[in-house]
């Protein structure tokens, strides 16, 4: 299980203080929610919830991790938005018209190999 998925699952469990409600929101089964949380706790080497038969509640470590996890996911979302915005700039296409014979000569010499050509 990847850390990001486990972190997202943790935040939903923390939000509802319920594995079953988290499973419902995430559209996965309760066993998978439990595996994600256990995997995260194993990775962090700390328990994040106090569990009873009827209740799940964040402990002090869980509360600290919740704040940091929210911030991390927010920063990831911002980074994705920045890249998405920049994608149009980074992938712009410039069309230059040159005689086909010159284009073939340059392509044969390997010039501008990173540039695509349409003949």
């Amino acid at each position: 299980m990847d850390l990001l998925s486990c972190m997202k699952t943790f935040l939903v469990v923390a939000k509802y203080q319920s594995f079953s409600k988290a499973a419902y929101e995430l559209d996965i089964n309760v066993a998978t929610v439990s595996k994600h949380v256990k995997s995260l706790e194993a990775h962090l080497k700390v328990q994040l919830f106090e569990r009873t038969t009827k209740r799940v509640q964040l402990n002090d470590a869980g509360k600290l991790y919740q704040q940091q996890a929210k911030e991390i996911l927010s920063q990831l979302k911002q980074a994705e938005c920045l890249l998405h915005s920049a994608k149009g700039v980074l992938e712009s296409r410039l069309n230059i018209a040159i005689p086909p014979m010159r284009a073939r000569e340059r392509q044969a010499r390997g010039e501008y190999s990173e540039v695509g050509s349409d003949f």
Side-chain angles (χ1 to χ4, degrees), residues 15-90:
K15 174 182 171 182
Y16 292 111
Q17 295 189 16
S18 167
F19 281 68
S20 58
K21 288 179 183 175
Y24 181 79
E25 180 171 313
L26 296 168
D27 197 27
I28 57 178
N29 62 46
V30 176
T32 302
V33 170
S34 181
K35 286 178 188 176
H36 282 195
V37 171
K38 285 180 183 179
S39 179
L40 181 61
E41 289 176 329
H43 173 78
L44 297 171
K45 298 179 175 74
V46 66
Q47 191 172 343
L48 300 169
F49 293 99
E50 296 297 325
R51 297 168 176 89
T52 65
T53 54
K54 296 191 181 228
R55 215 167 158 192
V56 177
Q57 188 172 337
L58 284 172
N59 61 22
D60 290 339
K63 289 174 187 174
L64 287 172
Y65 191 74
Q66 181 186 32
Q67 292 170 336
Q68 294 301 308
K70 284 180 180 179
E71 191 172 316
I72 288 166
L73 291 177
S74 175
Q75 289 175 352
L76 281 172
K77 186 167 259 181
Q78 287 175 359
E80 288 173 0
C81 287
L82 284 172
L83 286 175
H84 183 71
S85 296
K87 185 178 180 184
V89 174
L90 297 173

Coordinates of all heavy atoms in Angstrom, one line a residue, residues 15-90:
K15 N -11.8 12.1 10.4 CA -12.9 13.0 10.2 C -14.2 12.4 10.8 O -14.9 13.1 11.5 CB -13.1 13.2 8.7 CG -14.3 14.0 8.3 CD -14.4 14.1 6.7 CE -15.7 14.7 6.3 NZ -15.7 14.7 4.8
Y16 N -14.4 11.2 10.5 CA -15.7 10.5 11.0 C -15.5 9.8 12.3 O -16.5 9.4 12.9 CB -16.2 9.6 10.0 CG -16.7 10.2 8.7 CD1 -16.1 10.1 7.5 CD2 -17.9 11.0 8.8 CE1 -16.5 10.7 6.4 CE2 -18.3 11.7 7.6 CZ -17.7 11.5 6.4 OH -18.1 12.1 5.3
Q17 N -14.3 9.5 12.7 CA -14.0 8.7 13.9 C -14.7 7.4 13.8 O -15.3 6.9 14.7 CB -14.3 9.4 15.2 CG -13.5 10.6 15.4 CD -13.6 11.2 16.8 OE1 -14.2 10.6 17.7 NE2 -13.1 12.5 16.9
S18 N -14.6 6.8 12.5 CA -15.3 5.6 12.2 C -14.7 4.9 11.0 O -14.6 5.6 10.0 CB -16.8 5.9 12.0 OG -17.4 4.8 11.4
F19 N -14.4 3.7 11.1 CA -13.8 2.9 10.0 C -14.9 2.6 9.0 O -14.7 2.7 7.8 CB -13.2 1.6 10.5 CG -11.9 1.8 11.1 CD1 -11.7 2.4 12.3 CD2 -10.7 1.2 10.4 CE1 -10.4 2.6 12.8 CE2 -9.5 1.4 11.0 CZ -9.3 2.0 12.2
S20 N -16.1 2.4 9.5 CA -17.2 2.0 8.5 C -17.7 3.2 7.7 O -17.9 3.2 6.5 CB -18.4 1.4 9.3 OG -18.9 2.2 10.3
K21 N -17.8 4.4 8.4 CA -18.1 5.6 7.7 C -17.1 6.0 6.7 O -17.4 6.5 5.6 CB -18.4 6.8 8.6 CG -19.7 6.6 9.4 CD -20.0 7.7 10.4 CE -21.3 7.5 11.2 NZ -21.5 8.5 12.2
A22 N -15.8 5.8 7.0 CA -14.7 6.1 6.1 C -14.8 5.2 4.9 O -14.6 5.6 3.8 CB -13.4 6.0 6.8
A23 N -15.0 3.9 5.2 CA -15.2 2.9 4.1 C -16.3 3.3 3.1 O -16.1 3.3 1.9 CB -15.4 1.5 4.7
Y24 N -17.4 3.8 3.7 CA -18.5 4.2 2.9 C -18.1 5.4 2.0 O -18.4 5.4 0.8 CB -19.7 4.5 3.7 CG -20.9 4.9 3.0 CD1 -21.7 4.0 2.3 CD2 -21.3 6.3 2.8 CE1 -22.9 4.4 1.6 CE2 -22.4 6.7 2.1 CZ -23.2 5.7 1.5 OH -24.3 6.1 0.8
E25 N -17.5 6.4 2.6 CA -17.1 7.6 1.8 C -16.1 7.3 0.7 O -16.1 7.8 -0.4 CB -16.6 8.7 2.7 CG -16.2 9.9 1.9 CD -15.8 11.1 2.7 OE1 -16.6 11.4 3.7 OE2 -14.8 11.7 2.5
L26 N -15.1 6.4 1.1 CA -14.0 6.1 0.1 C -14.5 5.0 -0.9 O -13.7 4.7 -1.8 CB -12.8 5.6 0.9 CG -12.2 6.7 1.8 CD1 -11.1 6.0 2.7 CD2 -11.5 7.8 1.0
D27 N -15.6 4.4 -0.6 CA -16.1 3.3 -1.5 C -15.2 2.1 -1.5 O -14.9 1.6 -2.6 CB -16.4 3.8 -2.9 CG -17.3 2.9 -3.7 OD1 -18.1 2.2 -3.1 OD2 -17.2 2.9 -4.9
I28 N -14.7 1.8 -0.4 CA -13.9 0.6 -0.2 C -14.4 -0.2 1.0 O -15.3 0.3 1.8 CB -12.4 0.9 0.0 CG1 -12.2 1.8 1.2 CG2 -11.8 1.5 -1.3 CD1 -10.7 2.2 1.5
N29 N -14.0 -1.4 1.3 CA -14.5 -2.2 2.4 C -13.8 -1.8 3.7 O -12.7 -1.2 3.7 CB -14.5 -3.7 2.1 CG -13.1 -4.2 1.9 OD1 -12.2 -3.9 2.6 ND2 -13.0 -5.1 0.9
V30 N -14.4 -2.1 4.8 CA -13.8 -1.8 6.1 C -12.5 -2.4 6.3 O -11.6 -1.8 6.9 CB -14.8 -2.1 7.2 CG1 -14.2 -1.9 8.6 CG2 -16.1 -1.4 7.1
A31 N -12.3 -3.6 5.8 CA -11.0 -4.3 6.0 C -9.9 -3.6 5.3 O -8.8 -3.5 5.9 CB -11.1 -5.8 5.4
T32 N -10.2 -3.0 4.2 CA -9.1 -2.2 3.5 C -8.8 -0.9 4.2 O -7.6 -0.6 4.3 CB -9.6 -1.9 2.0 OG1 -9.9 -3.1 1.3 CG2 -8.6 -1.1 1.3
V33 N -9.8 -0.3 4.8 CA -9.6 0.9 5.6 C -8.7 0.5 6.8 O -7.7 1.2 7.1 CB -10.9 1.5 6.1 CG1 -10.7 2.6 7.2 CG2 -11.7 2.0 5.0
S34 N -9.0 -0.6 7.4 CA -8.2 -1.0 8.6 C -6.8 -1.3 8.2 O -5.8 -1.0 8.9 CB -8.9 -2.3 9.2 OG -8.1 -2.7 10.3
K35 N -6.6 -2.0 7.0 CA -5.2 -2.3 6.5 C -4.5 -1.0 6.3 O -3.3 -0.9 6.6 CB -5.3 -3.1 5.3 CG -5.7 -4.6 5.5 CD -5.8 -5.3 4.2 CE -6.3 -6.7 4.4 NZ -6.5 -7.4 3.1
H36 N -5.1 0.0 5.7 CA -4.4 1.3 5.4 C -4.0 1.9 6.7 O -2.8 2.4 6.8 CB -5.4 2.2 4.6 CG -5.5 1.9 3.2 ND1 -6.0 2.8 2.3 CD2 -5.2 0.8 2.5 CE1 -6.0 2.3 1.1 NE2 -5.6 1.1 1.2
V37 N -4.8 2.0 7.7 CA -4.5 2.6 8.9 C -3.4 1.8 9.6 O -2.4 2.4 10.1 CB -5.7 2.8 9.8 CG1 -5.3 3.2 11.2 CG2 -6.7 3.8 9.2
K38 N -3.5 0.5 9.7 CA -2.4 -0.3 10.3 C -1.1 -0.2 9.6 O -0.1 -0.1 10.2 CB -2.9 -1.8 10.3 CG -3.9 -2.1 11.4 CD -4.3 -3.5 11.4 CE -5.4 -3.8 12.4 NZ -5.9 -5.2 12.5
S39 N -1.2 -0.1 8.3 CA 0.1 0.1 7.5 C 0.7 1.4 7.8 O 1.9 1.5 7.9 CB -0.3 0.0 6.0 OG 0.9 0.2 5.2
L40 N -0.1 2.5 7.9 CA 0.4 3.8 8.2 C 1.0 3.8 9.6 O 2.1 4.3 9.8 CB -0.7 4.8 8.1 CG -0.3 6.3 8.4 CD1 0.7 6.8 7.4 CD2 -1.6 7.2 8.3
E41 N 0.3 3.2 10.6 CA 0.8 3.1 11.9 C 2.1 2.4 12.0 O 3.1 2.7 12.7 CB -0.2 2.5 12.9 CG -1.4 3.5 13.1 CD -2.5 2.9 14.0 OE1 -2.7 1.6 13.9 OE2 -3.2 3.6 14.7
A42 N 2.2 1.3 11.2 CA 3.5 0.5 11.2 C 4.6 1.3 10.6 O 5.7 1.3 11.1 CB 3.3 -0.8 10.4
H43 N 4.3 2.1 9.5 CA 5.3 2.9 8.9 C 5.8 4.0 9.9 O 7.0 4.3 9.9 CB 4.7 3.6 7.6 CG 5.6 4.6 7.0 ND1 6.7 4.2 6.2 CD2 5.6 6.0 7.1 CE1 7.3 5.3 5.8 NE2 6.6 6.4 6.3
L44 N 4.9 4.6 10.6 CA 5.2 5.7 11.5 C 5.7 5.1 12.9 O 6.3 5.9 13.6 CB 4.0 6.5 11.8 CG 3.4 7.3 10.6 CD1 2.1 7.9 10.9 CD2 4.4 8.3 10.1
K45 N 5.5 3.8 13.1 CA 5.9 3.2 14.4 C 5.2 3.9 15.6 O 5.8 4.1 16.6 CB 7.4 3.2 14.5 CG 8.1 2.4 13.5 CD 9.6 2.4 13.7 CE 10.3 1.5 12.7 NZ 10.4 1.9 11.3
V46 N 3.9 4.2 15.4 CA 3.2 4.9 16.4 C 1.7 4.6 16.2 O 1.2 4.6 15.0 CB 3.4 6.4 16.6 CG1 3.0 7.1 15.3 CG2 2.8 7.0 17.8
Q47 N 0.9 4.4 17.2 CA -0.5 4.2 17.1 C -1.1 5.6 17.0 O -0.8 6.5 17.7 CB -1.0 3.5 18.3 CG -2.5 3.0 18.2 CD -2.9 2.1 19.3 OE1 -2.1 1.6 20.1 NE2 -4.2 2.0 19.5
L48 N -2.1 5.8 16.1 CA -2.7 7.1 15.9 C -4.1 7.2 16.5 O -4.6 8.3 16.6 CB -2.8 7.3 14.4 CG -1.5 7.3 13.6 CD1 -1.6 7.3 12.1 CD2 -0.6 8.5 14.1
F49 N -4.8 6.0 16.7 CA -6.1 6.0 17.3 C -6.2 5.2 18.6 O -5.5 4.2 18.7 CB -7.1 5.4 16.3 CG -7.3 6.1 15.0 CD1 -6.6 5.8 13.8 CD2 -8.2 7.2 14.9 CE1 -6.8 6.5 12.7 CE2 -8.4 7.9 13.8 CZ -7.7 7.5 12.6
E50 N -7.1 5.6 19.4 CA -7.5 4.8 20.5 C -8.8 4.1 20.1 O -9.7 4.7 19.6 CB -7.9 5.6 21.8 CG -6.7 6.4 22.3 CD -5.6 5.6 22.8 OE1 -5.9 4.5 23.4 OE2 -4.4 5.9 22.7
R51 N -8.7 2.7 20.1 CA -9.8 1.9 19.6 C -10.5 1.2 20.7 O -9.9 0.6 21.6 CB -9.3 0.9 18.6 CG -8.7 1.5 17.3 CD -7.9 0.4 16.6 NE -7.3 0.8 15.3 CZ -6.1 1.3 15.2 NH1 -5.4 1.5 16.3 NH2 -5.7 1.7 14.0
T52 N -11.8 1.2 20.7 CA -12.6 0.3 21.5 C -13.6 -0.4 20.6 O -13.6 -0.2 19.4 CB -13.4 1.1 22.6 OG1 -14.4 1.9 21.9 CG2 -12.5 2.0 23.4
T53 N -14.4 -1.3 21.2 CA -15.3 -2.1 20.3 C -16.3 -1.2 19.7 O -16.9 -1.5 18.6 CB -16.0 -3.2 21.1 OG1 -16.6 -2.6 22.3 CG2 -15.0 -4.2 21.5
K54 N -16.6 0.0 20.3 CA -17.7 0.8 19.7 C -17.2 2.2 19.2 O -17.9 2.9 18.6 CB -18.7 1.1 20.8 CG -19.4 -0.1 21.3 CD -20.6 0.2 22.1 CE -21.3 -1.1 22.6 NZ -22.7 -1.0 22.4
R55 N -15.9 2.5 19.4 CA -15.4 3.8 19.1 C -14.0 3.8 18.6 O -13.2 3.0 19.0 CB -15.5 4.6 20.4 CG -15.8 6.0 20.2 CD -16.2 6.7 21.4 NE -16.0 8.1 21.1 CZ -15.9 9.1 21.9 NH1 -16.1 8.9 23.2 NH2 -15.7 10.3 21.5
V56 N -13.7 4.8 17.7 CA -12.4 5.1 17.3 C -12.1 6.6 17.5 O -12.9 7.4 17.1 CB -12.2 4.8 15.8 CG1 -10.9 5.1 15.3 CG2 -12.5 3.3 15.5
Q57 N -11.0 6.9 18.2 CA -10.8 8.3 18.5 C -9.3 8.6 18.3 O -8.4 7.8 18.7 CB -11.2 8.5 20.0 CG -11.2 9.9 20.4 CD -11.8 10.1 21.8 OE1 -12.6 9.3 22.2 NE2 -11.4 11.1 22.5
L58 N -9.0 9.7 17.8 CA -7.6 10.1 17.6 C -6.9 10.3 19.0 O -7.5 10.9 19.9 CB -7.5 11.5 16.9 CG -7.7 11.5 15.4 CD1 -7.7 12.9 14.9 CD2 -6.6 10.7 14.7
N59 N -5.7 9.8 19.1 CA -4.9 10.0 20.3 C -4.1 11.3 20.0 O -4.2 11.9 19.0 CB -4.1 8.8 20.7 CG -3.1 8.4 19.7 OD1 -2.7 9.1 18.8 ND2 -2.7 7.1 19.7
D60 N -3.2 11.6 20.9 CA -2.4 12.8 20.8 C -1.5 12.7 19.5 O -1.4 13.7 18.8 CB -1.5 13.1 22.0 CG -2.4 13.5 23.2 OD1 -3.5 14.0 23.0 OD2 -1.9 13.4 24.4
A61 N -0.9 11.6 19.3 CA 0.0 11.4 18.1 C -0.9 11.5 16.8 O -0.5 12.2 15.9 CB 0.7 10.1 18.2
G62 N -2.1 11.0 16.9 CA -3.0 11.1 15.7 C -3.4 12.5 15.4 O -3.5 12.9 14.3
K63 N -3.6 13.3 16.5 CA -4.0 14.7 16.3 C -2.8 15.5 15.6 O -3.1 16.3 14.7 CB -4.4 15.3 17.6 CG -5.7 14.8 18.1 CD -6.0 15.4 19.5 CE -7.2 14.7 20.1 NZ -7.5 15.1 21.5
L64 N -1.6 15.2 16.1 CA -0.5 15.9 15.5 C -0.3 15.5 14.0 O -0.1 16.3 13.1 CB 0.8 15.5 16.2 CG 1.0 16.2 17.6 CD1 2.2 15.6 18.3 CD2 1.2 17.7 17.5
Y65 N -0.4 14.2 13.8 CA -0.3 13.7 12.4 C -1.4 14.2 11.5 O -1.1 14.5 10.3 CB -0.2 12.1 12.4 CG 0.2 11.6 11.1 CD1 1.5 11.7 10.6 CD2 -0.7 11.1 10.2 CE1 1.9 11.2 9.4 CE2 -0.3 10.6 8.9 CZ 1.0 10.7 8.6 OH 1.4 10.2 7.3
Q66 N -2.6 14.3 12.0 CA -3.7 14.8 11.2 C -3.4 16.2 10.7 O -3.6 16.5 9.5 CB -5.0 14.8 12.1 CG -6.2 15.3 11.3 CD -7.4 15.5 12.3 OE1 -7.3 15.8 13.4 NE2 -8.6 15.2 11.7
Q67 N -2.9 17.1 11.6 CA -2.6 18.4 11.1 C -1.5 18.4 10.0 O -1.7 19.1 9.0 CB -2.0 19.3 12.3 CG -3.1 19.5 13.3 CD -2.4 20.1 14.6 OE1 -1.2 20.0 14.9 NE2 -3.2 20.9 15.4
Q68 N -0.5 17.6 10.2 CA 0.6 17.6 9.2 C 0.1 16.9 7.9 O 0.5 17.4 6.8 CB 1.8 16.8 9.8 CG 2.5 17.5 10.9 CD 3.0 18.9 10.5 OE1 3.7 19.1 9.6 NE2 2.6 19.9 11.3
A69 N -0.7 15.9 8.0 CA -1.2 15.2 6.8 C -2.0 16.1 6.0 O -1.9 16.1 4.7 CB -1.9 13.9 7.2
K70 N -2.9 16.9 6.6 CA -3.7 17.8 5.9 C -2.9 18.8 5.1 O -3.1 19.2 4.0 CB -4.7 18.6 6.9 CG -5.8 17.8 7.3 CD -6.7 18.6 8.3 CE -7.9 17.9 8.8 NZ -8.7 18.7 9.7
E71 N -1.8 19.3 5.8 CA -0.9 20.3 5.2 C -0.2 19.7 4.0 O 0.0 20.3 2.9 CB 0.1 20.8 6.2 CG 0.9 22.0 5.7 CD 1.7 22.6 6.8 OE1 1.2 22.8 8.0 OE2 2.9 23.0 6.6
I72 N 0.3 18.4 4.2 CA 1.0 17.8 3.1 C 0.1 17.6 1.9 O 0.6 17.8 0.8 CB 1.6 16.4 3.6 CG1 2.7 16.6 4.6 CG2 2.0 15.5 2.5 CD1 3.1 15.4 5.4
L73 N -1.1 17.1 2.1 CA -2.0 16.9 1.0 C -2.4 18.2 0.3 O -2.5 18.2 -0.9 CB -3.2 16.1 1.4 CG -3.0 14.7 1.8 CD1 -4.3 14.0 2.3 CD2 -2.4 13.9 0.7
S74 N -2.5 19.2 1.1 CA -2.8 20.5 0.5 C -1.6 21.0 -0.4 O -1.8 21.5 -1.5 CB -3.0 21.5 1.6 OG -3.2 22.8 1.1
Q75 N -0.4 20.8 0.1 CA 0.8 21.2 -0.7 C 0.9 20.4 -2.0 O 1.3 20.9 -3.0 CB 2.0 21.1 0.2 CG 2.1 22.1 1.2 CD 3.3 21.9 2.1 OE1 4.0 20.9 2.1 NE2 3.6 22.9 3.0
L76 N 0.6 19.1 -1.9 CA 0.6 18.2 -3.1 C -0.4 18.7 -4.1 O -0.1 18.8 -5.3 CB 0.3 16.8 -2.7 CG 1.5 16.0 -2.1 CD1 1.0 14.6 -1.6 CD2 2.6 15.8 -3.2
K77 N -1.6 19.1 -3.6 CA -2.6 19.6 -4.5 C -2.2 20.9 -5.2 O -2.4 21.1 -6.4 CB -4.0 19.8 -3.8 CG -5.1 20.2 -4.6 CD -6.4 20.1 -3.9 CE -7.0 18.8 -4.4 NZ -8.2 18.3 -4.0
Q78 N -1.6 21.8 -4.4 CA -1.0 23.0 -5.0 C 0.0 22.8 -6.0 O 0.0 23.4 -7.1 CB -0.5 23.9 -3.9 CG -1.5 24.5 -2.9 CD -0.8 25.3 -1.8 OE1 0.4 25.4 -1.7 NE2 -1.7 25.9 -1.0
A79 N 0.9 21.8 -5.7 CA 2.0 21.5 -6.7 C 1.3 20.9 -8.0 O 1.8 21.3 -9.1 CB 2.9 20.5 -6.1
E80 N 0.3 20.1 -7.9 CA -0.3 19.6 -9.1 C -1.0 20.7 -9.9 O -1.0 20.7 -11.1 CB -1.4 18.5 -8.7 CG -0.8 17.2 -8.2 CD -1.8 16.2 -7.6 OE1 -3.0 16.6 -7.6 OE2 -1.4 15.2 -7.2
C81 N -1.6 21.6 -9.2 CA -2.3 22.7 -9.8 C -1.3 23.6 -10.6 O -1.5 24.0 -11.7 CB -3.1 23.6 -8.8 SG -4.6 22.8 -8.3
L82 N -0.1 23.9 -9.9 CA 0.9 24.6 -10.6 C 1.4 23.9 -11.8 O 1.6 24.6 -12.9 CB 2.1 24.9 -9.6 CG 1.9 25.9 -8.5 CD1 3.0 25.9 -7.5 CD2 1.7 27.3 -9.1
L83 N 1.7 22.6 -11.7 CA 2.1 21.9 -12.9 C 1.1 21.9 -14.0 O 1.4 22.0 -15.2 CB 2.5 20.5 -12.5 CG 3.8 20.4 -11.8 CD1 4.1 18.9 -11.3 CD2 5.0 20.9 -12.6
H84 N -0.2 21.7 -13.6 CA -1.2 21.7 -14.6 C -1.3 23.1 -15.3 O -1.5 23.2 -16.5 CB -2.6 21.4 -13.9 CG -3.7 21.3 -14.9 ND1 -3.8 20.2 -15.8 CD2 -4.8 22.1 -15.1 CE1 -4.9 20.4 -16.5 NE2 -5.5 21.5 -16.1
S85 N -1.2 24.2 -14.5 CA -1.2 25.5 -15.1 C 0.0 25.7 -16.1 O -0.1 26.3 -17.1 CB -1.2 26.6 -14.0 OG -2.3 26.5 -13.2
A86 N 1.2 25.2 -15.6 CA 2.4 25.4 -16.4 C 2.4 24.5 -17.6 O 3.2 24.7 -18.6 CB 3.6 25.2 -15.6
K87 N 1.6 23.4 -17.6 CA 1.7 22.4 -18.7 C 1.4 23.0 -20.0 O 2.1 22.7 -21.0 CB 0.7 21.3 -18.4 CG 0.7 20.2 -19.4 CD -0.3 19.1 -19.0 CE -0.3 18.0 -20.0 NZ -1.3 17.0 -19.8
G88 N 0.5 24.0 -20.1 CA 0.2 24.6 -21.4 C 1.4 25.4 -21.9 O 1.7 25.4 -23.1
V89 N 2.1 26.0 -21.0 CA 3.3 26.8 -21.4 C 4.5 25.8 -21.8 O 5.2 26.1 -22.8 CB 3.8 27.7 -20.2 CG1 5.1 28.4 -20.5 CG2 2.7 28.7 -19.9
L90 N 4.6 24.8 -21.0 CA 5.7 23.8 -21.2 C 5.5 23.0 -22.5 O 6.5 22.5 -23.1 CB 5.9 22.9 -20.0 CG 6.3 23.6 -18.7 CD1 6.3 22.5 -17.6 CD2 7.7 24.2 -18.8

